Every structure is written in C-alpha cells, then in structure tokens.
Amino acid sequence: MLQDLPAQHRAIIVATYFRHRTTREAALQLGVTPGAVQALLYEAMRELSLMVAAWHPTASEGPSAQHLQVQ
C-alpha cells in the first residue's frame, strides 16, 4: 500500500517511521519545514488508513463479539 501513496507521502512515512527520524531530522532530509513534515505525515497516515479500510472494511471497526468468542 505504501507504493500506492504519492511520492511525498511515502517519503515522509519512510523517513519518520522506518528510519526513525525526528520531525526536524526528516524536515532537513526532505528539504521542507518541520510544520510541513507534520502536516504531510498527518495526510499520509490518513490516506493510508483509508486504503487499509477499503482493503479490509472491518479493520477500522475494532473487535467484534464474534472475534471475542472462546471456542
């Protein structure tokens, strides 16, 4: 799903989550302001969340009674 994100959103997620950079470090690496990193990261995570929900609609609903039943 990361490949389906716009390049800038993918770069923000990779820099912050996979390379464990701070907002400031990611901003320096990507040539944007720290505020832009925060805004782009919010947009990227929202878009990724929507993609996950579309792929697996029940993922955003949380555990259901059916999943909690002991057999």
Side-chain angles (χ1 to χ4, degrees):
M1 286 185 199
L2 283 175
Q3 293 299 326
D4 294 333
L5 289 174
Q8 194 172 29
H9 287 172
R10 189 172 52 252
I12 291 289
I13 290 175
V14 169
T16 55
Y17 283 96
F18 295 108
R19 295 200 175 130
H20 307 287
R21 288 187 169 71
T22 64
T23 299
R24 187 175 190 278
E25 292 168 338
L28 289 172
Q29 174 194 345
L30 299 170
V32 298
T33 66
V37 169
Q38 292 174 335
L40 289 166
L41 185 57
Y42 175 82
E43 292 170 13
M45 294 303 289
R46 179 173 160 81
E47 190 170 348
L48 194 57
S49 176
L50 292 171
M51 291 167 71
V52 168
W55 178 69
H56 194 288
T58 59
S60 62
E61 294 174 10
S64 66
Q66 182 181 15
H67 292 115
L68 299 176
Q69 290 177 351
V70 178
Q71 296 184 15

